[in-house]
Amino acid sequence: MVRAMATSKRVAAAREPTAPPATDTRQRIIQAGLAVLTRGEPFSLGEIAREAGISRQALYLHFDSRVALAVAVAQYSDELFGVEQALAPVREATDAPSLLRAQARFVTKYNERLYPVVRMADALRQTDPDMAAPWEDRLAARRAGGRAIAARLDQWGALSDEWTVETAGDWICALASVKLWEELVIDLRWSKERFARSLEQQLCSALLRTPGEEAPTAVAHSAKGTGKKSRA
Amino acid sequence: MVRAMATSKRVAAAREPTAPPATDTRQRIIQAGLAVLTRGEPFSLGEIAREAGISRQALYLHFDSRVALAVAVAQYSDELFGVEQALAPVREATDAPSLLRAQARFVTKYNERLYPVVRMADALRQTDPDMAAPWEDRLAARRAGGRAIAARLDQWGALSDEWTVETAGDWICALASVKLWEELVIDLRWSKERFARSLEQQLCSALLRTPGEEAPTAVAHSAKGTGKKSRA
DNA sequence: TCCCGAACTTGACATGGTGTCAATCTCGCG
DNA sequence: CGCGAGATTGACACCATGTCAAGTTCGGGA
């Protein structure tokens, strides 16, 4: 193949995402991996290599193992989707209903896009301990995201009394899971629109204080209220 | 294969679960499979054979393939759990809150017990088309269960206006999914008690008409009301 | 009593995937 | 020129699934 020089591995790590010439082999492998993963399933390394136009053995010049490649593909897929940008509406929401609406829309798009990758990662983590750690990281990030939403709801006095910030965050995280999305959209054939709509509604009815109840400023029975329990 | 006579397979199928002498090899294999599956993961046929005290090749005298064994294990696991009996409180509930409470408790117990089996089946169905059909069957059964609950809520006039029986049924089905249970109980370390409590609460807040609203007998704005839309 | 057939055994083998190793090729650059 | 990075071909070990063949054990029926 081409490549050569002090280019390639070191460069790939340092390359900014703004330079997509993709002449880099490592990058080509990752893209091939994503392509193979996205269509169908079986996921054989030989297939990815063929797709990338290199020999199977060359994969091992760039990745220690199947899992390392999978992790790289997952990360690339994340970057490609642009989580940061997609999350902007969620971060910028200024009231509870629009926050939850933004979250529902984000979740719908994100899960649709990341579904094949998460699927594979989930399958791999069962058999491969090396996949467990990255998986945990992602889970922690999702959990933190859910908790951040719950914390803002709580700050606004919008969080229903039955929740703590922690439990509400976990529930938000669970409802945002690819698995729930898969169950409804893939297995039960829901349309994305219906999923988004239902998720929004359910987030609202699950989390939000019902309008008729105590005002956010009023500290009622126990130690509930505005600053419920922001961290342990 | 060998198979022949009216013995063996036929006998295994016809044997009542009340006779546990376990002299039947097929049954021993299934039990070994469940045991291996329940602890840890890797799931190698050789291991199951060793656990069952027979040679690896003897597995093929009883099961055509890995998938056939897996299906048998899943079915056995179901019988062992006693779904019918465990579902009794759900079937016998006479009001909406206790129905949803019974459902939440059933789901918690069932998912905890069936988790390893479902895990394996889900992994297998990705690569093995033979697993897809049994999976679909189970999904259809779960969906029907969810829909039955939704229909009863609707009959009682307890189902919130935003739902049809179909969509509510699917939502119940999705919240009953092993995957949601896994996310919360396994990955996020929720206790079973907390899961059961939250699930019950969330089923209620998601599905039930809020107390202040229109009475069940009153047919309000559109064509909603008691007999919402029992089938398409 | 003998023997048939069912169930199981051992052992070998094909296939296909992962991961490793060694030898070779090809460039660009110092 | 020759080094060295990246890539190639080819071979190999290992393991899991699935198949095949031949032999063993044992119970029950003719």
Coordinates of all heavy atoms in Angstrom, one line a residue, chain A residues 33-101:
Chain A
G33 N -14.6 -1.0 9.3 CA -15.3 -1.7 10.4 C -16.7 -1.2 10.7 O -17.6 -1.9 10.8
L34 N -16.8 0.1 10.7 CA -18.1 0.7 10.9 C -19.1 0.3 9.7 O -20.2 0.0 10.0 CB -18.0 2.2 11.0 CG -19.3 3.0 11.2 CD1 -20.0 2.5 12.5 CD2 -19.1 4.5 11.3
A35 N -18.5 0.3 8.5 CA -19.4 0.0 7.4 C -19.9 -1.5 7.5 O -21.1 -1.8 7.3 CB -18.6 0.2 6.1
V36 N -18.9 -2.4 7.8 CA -19.3 -3.8 7.9 C -20.3 -4.0 9.0 O -21.2 -4.7 8.9 CB -18.0 -4.6 8.1 CG1 -18.4 -6.0 8.6 CG2 -17.2 -4.7 6.9
L37 N -20.0 -3.3 10.1 CA -20.8 -3.5 11.3 C -22.3 -3.0 11.0 O -23.2 -3.6 11.4 CB -20.3 -2.7 12.4 CG -20.7 -3.1 13.8 CD1 -20.2 -4.5 14.1 CD2 -20.2 -2.1 14.8
T38 N -22.3 -1.9 10.3 CA -23.6 -1.3 10.0 C -24.5 -2.1 9.2 O -25.7 -2.2 9.4 CB -23.4 0.1 9.4 OG1 -22.6 0.9 10.3 CG2 -24.7 0.8 9.2
R39 N -24.0 -2.7 8.2 CA -24.8 -3.6 7.4 C -24.7 -5.0 8.0 O -23.6 -5.4 8.3 CB -24.3 -3.6 5.9 CG -23.0 -4.2 5.7 CD -22.7 -4.5 4.2 NE -21.5 -5.2 4.1 CZ -20.3 -4.6 3.7 NH1 -20.3 -3.3 3.5 NH2 -19.2 -5.3 3.6
G40 N -25.8 -5.7 8.1 CA -25.7 -7.1 8.6 C -24.9 -7.3 9.9 O -24.9 -6.4 10.7
E41 N -24.4 -8.4 10.1 CA -23.8 -8.8 11.4 C -22.4 -9.4 11.4 O -21.5 -8.8 11.9 CB -24.8 -9.6 12.2 CG -25.7 -8.8 13.0 CD -25.0 -7.8 13.9 OE1 -24.0 -8.2 14.5 OE2 -25.5 -6.7 14.0
P42 N -22.3 -10.7 11.0 CA -21.2 -11.6 11.4 C -19.9 -11.0 11.8 O -19.2 -11.6 12.6 CB -21.1 -12.5 10.2 CG -22.5 -12.6 9.7 CD -23.1 -11.3 10.0
F43 N -19.5 -9.8 11.4 CA -18.3 -9.2 11.9 C -17.1 -10.1 12.0 O -16.7 -10.5 13.1 CB -18.7 -8.7 13.3 CG -17.5 -8.0 14.1 CD1 -16.5 -7.4 13.4 CD2 -17.5 -8.1 15.5 CE1 -15.4 -6.8 14.1 CE2 -16.4 -7.5 16.2 CZ -15.4 -6.8 15.5
S44 N -16.5 -10.5 10.8 CA -15.3 -11.2 10.8 C -14.1 -10.2 10.5 O -14.3 -9.3 9.6 CB -15.3 -12.3 9.8 OG -14.2 -12.4 9.0
L45 N -13.0 -10.4 11.1 CA -11.9 -9.4 10.9 C -11.5 -9.5 9.4 O -11.1 -8.5 8.8 CB -10.7 -9.8 11.8 CG -11.0 -9.5 13.3 CD1 -9.7 -9.6 14.1 CD2 -11.5 -8.1 13.5
G46 N -11.5 -10.7 8.9 CA -11.1 -10.8 7.4 C -12.0 -10.0 6.6 O -11.5 -9.3 5.6
E47 N -13.2 -9.9 6.9 CA -14.2 -9.1 6.1 C -13.9 -7.6 6.2 O -13.9 -6.9 5.2 CB -15.6 -9.3 6.6 CG -16.6 -9.4 5.5 CD -18.0 -9.9 6.0 OE1 -18.0 -10.8 6.8 OE2 -19.0 -9.3 5.6
I48 N -13.6 -7.2 7.4 CA -13.2 -5.8 7.6 C -12.0 -5.4 6.8 O -11.9 -4.4 6.2 CB -13.0 -5.5 9.1 CG1 -14.4 -5.6 9.8 CG2 -12.4 -4.1 9.3 CD1 -14.3 -5.4 11.3
A49 N -11.0 -6.4 6.9 CA -9.7 -6.1 6.1 C -10.0 -6.0 4.6 O -9.5 -5.1 4.0 CB -8.8 -7.3 6.4
R50 N -10.8 -6.9 4.1 CA -11.1 -6.9 2.7 C -11.8 -5.5 2.4 O -11.5 -4.9 1.4 CB -12.0 -8.0 2.3 CG -11.3 -9.1 1.5 CD -12.3 -10.1 0.9 NE -13.0 -10.9 1.9 CZ -14.3 -10.8 2.1 NH1 -15.1 -10.0 1.4 NH2 -14.8 -11.6 3.0
E51 N -12.7 -5.2 3.2 CA -13.4 -3.9 3.0 C -12.5 -2.7 3.0 O -12.7 -1.7 2.3 CB -14.5 -3.7 4.1 CG -15.2 -2.4 4.1 CD -16.5 -2.5 3.2 OE1 -16.9 -3.6 2.9 OE2 -17.0 -1.4 2.9
A52 N -11.5 -2.8 3.9 CA -10.5 -1.7 4.0 C -9.4 -1.8 2.9 O -8.6 -0.9 2.7 CB -9.8 -1.7 5.3
G53 N -9.4 -2.9 2.1 CA -8.5 -3.1 1.1 C -7.1 -3.4 1.5 O -6.1 -3.1 0.9
I54 N -7.0 -4.1 2.6 CA -5.7 -4.5 3.1 C -5.8 -6.0 3.5 O -6.8 -6.6 3.5 CB -5.2 -3.7 4.4 CG1 -6.3 -3.9 5.5 CG2 -5.1 -2.3 4.0 CD1 -5.8 -3.4 6.8
S55 N -4.6 -6.6 3.9 CA -4.6 -8.0 4.3 C -5.1 -8.1 5.8 O -5.0 -7.1 6.6 CB -3.2 -8.5 4.2 OG -2.4 -7.9 5.1
R56 N -5.6 -9.2 6.1 CA -6.1 -9.4 7.5 C -5.0 -9.2 8.5 O -5.2 -8.6 9.6 CB -6.6 -10.9 7.6 CG -7.3 -11.2 8.9 CD -7.8 -12.6 8.9 NE -6.8 -13.6 9.0 CZ -6.3 -14.0 10.1 NH1 -6.7 -13.5 11.3 NH2 -5.3 -14.9 10.2
Q57 N -3.8 -9.6 8.2 CA -2.7 -9.4 9.1 C -2.3 -8.0 9.4 O -1.9 -7.6 10.5 CB -1.4 -10.2 8.6 CG -1.5 -11.7 8.8 CD -2.6 -12.3 7.8 OE1 -3.1 -11.6 6.9 NE2 -2.9 -13.5 8.0
A58 N -2.6 -7.1 8.4 CA -2.3 -5.7 8.6 C -3.1 -5.1 9.7 O -2.7 -4.1 10.2 CB -2.4 -5.0 7.3
L59 N -4.2 -5.7 9.9 CA -5.1 -5.2 11.0 C -4.3 -5.1 12.3 O -4.4 -4.2 13.1 CB -6.3 -6.0 11.2 CG -7.4 -6.0 10.2 CD1 -8.6 -6.9 10.6 CD2 -7.9 -4.6 10.0
Y60 N -3.5 -6.2 12.5 CA -2.8 -6.3 13.8 C -1.6 -5.4 13.9 O -1.0 -5.3 14.9 CB -2.3 -7.8 13.9 CG -3.5 -8.7 14.2 CD1 -4.0 -9.4 13.1 CD2 -4.0 -8.8 15.4 CE1 -5.1 -10.3 13.4 CE2 -5.1 -9.7 15.7 CZ -5.6 -10.4 14.6 OH -6.7 -11.2 14.9
L61 N -1.3 -4.7 12.8 CA -0.3 -3.6 12.8 C -0.9 -2.4 13.5 O -0.1 -1.5 13.9 CB 0.3 -3.3 11.4 CG 1.0 -4.5 10.7 CD1 1.4 -4.1 9.3 CD2 2.2 -4.9 11.5
H62 N -2.2 -2.3 13.5 CA -2.8 -1.1 14.0 C -3.7 -1.3 15.2 O -3.9 -0.4 16.0 CB -3.7 -0.5 12.9 CG -3.0 -0.1 11.7 ND1 -2.4 1.1 11.6 CD2 -2.7 -0.7 10.5 CE1 -1.8 1.2 10.4 NE2 -1.9 0.1 9.8
F63 N -4.1 -2.6 15.4 CA -4.9 -2.9 16.6 C -4.5 -4.2 17.2 O -4.2 -5.1 16.5 CB -6.4 -3.0 16.2 CG -6.9 -1.7 15.5 CD1 -7.0 -1.6 14.2 CD2 -7.4 -0.7 16.3 CE1 -7.5 -0.4 13.6 CE2 -7.8 0.5 15.7 CZ -7.9 0.6 14.4
D64 N -4.4 -4.2 18.5 CA -3.9 -5.4 19.2 C -4.9 -6.5 19.0 O -4.5 -7.7 19.0 CB -3.8 -5.1 20.7 CG -2.5 -4.2 21.0 OD1 -1.7 -4.1 20.0 OD2 -2.4 -3.7 22.1
S65 N -6.2 -6.2 19.0 CA -7.2 -7.3 19.0 C -8.5 -6.8 18.4 O -8.6 -5.6 18.1 CB -7.4 -7.8 20.4 OG -8.1 -6.8 21.1
R66 N -9.3 -7.7 18.2 CA -10.7 -7.4 17.8 C -11.3 -6.3 18.7 O -12.0 -5.4 18.2 CB -11.5 -8.7 18.0 CG -12.7 -8.9 17.2 CD -13.2 -10.3 17.4 NE -13.9 -10.5 18.7 CZ -13.9 -11.5 19.5 NH1 -13.1 -12.5 19.1 NH2 -14.6 -11.6 20.6
V67 N -11.1 -6.5 20.0 CA -11.7 -5.6 20.9 C -11.2 -4.1 20.7 O -11.9 -3.2 20.7 CB -11.5 -6.0 22.4 CG1 -11.9 -4.9 23.3 CG2 -12.3 -7.3 22.6
A68 N -9.9 -4.0 20.5 CA -9.3 -2.7 20.4 C -9.9 -2.1 19.1 O -10.2 -0.9 19.1 CB -7.8 -2.9 20.2
L69 N -10.0 -2.8 18.1 CA -10.7 -2.3 16.9 C -12.1 -1.8 17.2 O -12.5 -0.7 16.8 CB -10.6 -3.3 15.8 CG -11.4 -3.0 14.5 CD1 -11.0 -1.6 13.9 CD2 -11.3 -4.1 13.5
A70 N -12.8 -2.7 17.9 CA -14.2 -2.4 18.2 C -14.3 -1.1 19.0 O -15.1 -0.2 18.7 CB -14.8 -3.5 19.0
V71 N -13.4 -0.9 19.9 CA -13.4 0.3 20.7 C -13.1 1.5 19.9 O -13.8 2.6 20.0 CB -12.3 0.2 21.9 CG1 -12.2 1.6 22.5 CG2 -12.7 -0.8 22.9
A72 N -12.2 1.4 19.0 CA -11.9 2.5 18.1 C -13.1 2.8 17.2 O -13.4 4.0 16.9 CB -10.6 2.2 17.2
V73 N -13.7 1.8 16.7 CA -14.9 2.0 15.8 C -16.0 2.8 16.6 O -16.6 3.7 16.1 CB -15.4 0.7 15.3 CG1 -16.8 0.9 14.7 CG2 -14.5 0.1 14.3
A74 N -16.2 2.3 17.9 CA -17.2 3.0 18.7 C -16.9 4.4 18.9 O -17.7 5.3 18.7 CB -17.3 2.2 20.0
Q75 N -15.6 4.7 19.2 CA -15.2 6.1 19.4 C -15.4 6.9 18.2 O -15.9 8.0 18.2 CB -13.8 6.1 19.9 CG -13.3 7.5 20.3 CD -11.8 7.4 20.5 OE1 -11.2 6.4 20.9 NE2 -11.1 8.6 20.3
Y76 N -15.0 6.4 17.1 CA -15.1 7.1 15.8 C -16.6 7.4 15.5 O -16.9 8.4 15.0 CB -14.5 6.2 14.7 CG -14.7 6.7 13.3 CD1 -14.1 7.9 12.8 CD2 -15.6 6.1 12.4 CE1 -14.4 8.4 11.6 CE2 -15.9 6.5 11.2 CZ -15.2 7.7 10.7 OH -15.5 8.2 9.5
S77 N -17.4 6.4 15.7 CA -18.8 6.5 15.4 C -19.4 7.6 16.3 O -20.2 8.4 15.8 CB -19.5 5.2 15.8 OG -20.8 5.2 15.4
D78 N -18.9 7.7 17.5 CA -19.3 8.8 18.4 C -19.0 10.2 17.8 O -19.8 11.1 17.7 CB -18.7 8.6 19.7 CG -19.7 8.4 20.8 OD1 -20.8 8.0 20.5 OD2 -19.4 8.6 22.0
E79 N -17.7 10.3 17.4 CA -17.2 11.5 16.9 C -18.0 11.9 15.6 O -18.4 13.0 15.4 CB -15.7 11.4 16.5 CG -14.8 11.4 17.7 CD -13.4 11.0 17.3 OE1 -13.1 11.0 16.1 OE2 -12.6 10.7 18.2
L80 N -18.2 10.9 14.8 CA -18.9 11.1 13.5 C -20.3 11.7 13.8 O -20.8 12.5 13.0 CB -19.0 9.8 12.8 CG -19.2 9.8 11.3 CD1 -18.0 10.5 10.6 CD2 -19.4 8.4 10.7
F81 N -20.9 11.1 14.8 CA -22.3 11.6 15.1 C -22.3 13.0 15.6 O -23.2 13.8 15.4 CB -22.9 10.6 16.1 CG -24.3 11.0 16.5 CD1 -25.4 10.9 15.6 CD2 -24.5 11.5 17.8 CE1 -26.6 11.3 16.0 CE2 -25.8 11.9 18.2 CZ -26.8 11.8 17.3
G82 N -21.2 13.3 16.3 CA -21.2 14.7 16.9 C -22.0 14.8 18.1 O -23.0 15.6 18.1
V83 N -21.7 14.0 19.1 CA -22.6 14.0 20.3 C -22.7 15.4 20.9 O -23.7 15.9 21.3 CB -21.9 13.1 21.4 CG1 -23.0 12.7 22.4 CG2 -21.3 11.9 20.8
E84 N -21.5 16.1 21.0 CA -21.5 17.4 21.6 C -22.5 18.3 20.9 O -23.3 19.0 21.6 CB -20.1 18.0 21.5 CG -19.1 17.4 22.4 CD -19.6 17.2 23.8 OE1 -20.2 18.1 24.4 OE2 -19.6 16.0 24.3
Q85 N -22.5 18.4 19.6 CA -23.4 19.3 18.9 C -24.9 18.8 19.1 O -25.8 19.6 19.3 CB -23.0 19.3 17.5 CG -23.7 20.4 16.7 CD -23.4 20.4 15.2 OE1 -22.4 19.8 14.8 NE2 -24.2 21.0 14.4
A86 N -25.1 17.5 19.0 CA -26.4 17.0 19.1 C -27.0 17.2 20.5 O -28.2 17.3 20.7 CB -26.4 15.5 18.8
L87 N -26.1 17.4 21.5 CA -26.6 17.6 22.8 C -26.9 19.0 23.1 O -27.5 19.4 24.2 CB -25.5 17.1 23.8 CG -25.7 15.6 24.3 CD1 -24.6 15.2 25.1 CD2 -27.1 15.5 25.0
A88 N -26.5 19.9 22.2 CA -26.7 21.3 22.5 C -28.2 21.7 22.9 O -28.3 22.4 23.9 CB -26.3 22.1 21.2
P89 N -29.2 21.2 22.2 CA -30.5 21.6 22.6 C -30.9 21.1 24.0 O -31.6 21.8 24.7 CB -31.4 20.8 21.5 CG -30.5 20.6 20.4 CD -29.1 20.4 20.9
V90 N -30.3 20.0 24.4 CA -30.5 19.5 25.7 C -29.9 20.5 26.7 O -30.5 20.9 27.7 CB -30.0 18.1 25.9 CG1 -30.1 17.6 27.4 CG2 -30.7 17.1 25.0
R91 N -28.6 20.9 26.4 CA -27.9 21.7 27.4 C -28.6 23.1 27.4 O -28.6 23.8 28.5 CB -26.5 21.9 26.9 CG -25.6 20.8 27.5 CD -24.1 21.2 27.4 NE -23.9 21.6 26.0 CZ -23.4 20.7 25.1 NH1 -23.0 19.5 25.5 NH2 -23.2 21.1 23.8
E92 N -29.1 23.6 26.3 CA -29.6 24.9 26.3 C -31.1 25.1 26.7 O -31.6 26.2 26.7 CB -29.4 25.5 24.8 CG -27.9 25.7 24.5 CD -27.7 25.7 23.0 OE1 -28.7 25.8 22.3 OE2 -26.5 25.7 22.6
A93 N -31.7 24.0 26.9 CA -33.1 24.1 27.3 C -33.3 24.9 28.6 O -32.4 24.8 29.5 CB -33.8 22.8 27.5
T94 N -34.3 25.8 28.7 CA -34.4 26.6 29.9 C -35.7 26.3 30.7 O -35.9 27.0 31.7 CB -34.5 28.1 29.4 OG1 -35.6 28.3 28.5 CG2 -33.2 28.5 28.8
D95 N -36.4 25.3 30.3 CA -37.5 24.9 31.1 C -37.7 23.4 31.0 O -37.2 22.8 30.1 CB -38.8 25.6 30.7 CG -39.3 25.2 29.4 OD1 -38.6 25.6 28.4 OD2 -40.3 24.5 29.2
A96 N -38.4 22.8 32.0 CA -38.4 21.4 32.1 C -39.0 20.7 30.9 O -38.4 19.7 30.4 CB -39.2 21.0 33.4
P97 N -40.2 21.1 30.4 CA -40.7 20.4 29.3 C -39.8 20.4 28.0 O -39.7 19.4 27.4 CB -42.1 21.1 29.0 CG -42.4 21.8 30.3 CD -41.1 22.1 30.9
S98 N -39.2 21.5 27.8 CA -38.4 21.6 26.6 C -37.1 20.8 26.8 O -36.5 20.2 25.9 CB -38.1 23.0 26.1 OG -37.9 23.9 27.1
L99 N -36.6 20.8 28.0 CA -35.5 19.9 28.3 C -35.8 18.5 28.0 O -35.0 17.8 27.3 CB -35.1 20.1 29.8 CG -34.0 19.2 30.3 CD1 -32.7 19.3 29.5 CD2 -33.7 19.4 31.8
L100 N -36.9 18.0 28.5 CA -37.2 16.6 28.3 C -37.5 16.3 26.8 O -37.2 15.2 26.3 CB -38.4 16.2 29.2 CG -38.0 16.3 30.7 CD1 -39.2 15.8 31.6 CD2 -36.8 15.4 31.0
R101 N -38.1 17.3 26.2 CA -38.4 17.1 24.8 C -37.0 17.0 24.0 O -36.9 16.1 23.1 CB -39.2 18.3 24.2 CG -39.1 18.5 22.7 CD -40.1 19.4 22.2 NE -41.5 18.9 22.4 CZ -42.4 19.0 21.5 NH1 -42.2 19.6 20.4 NH2 -43.6 18.5 21.8

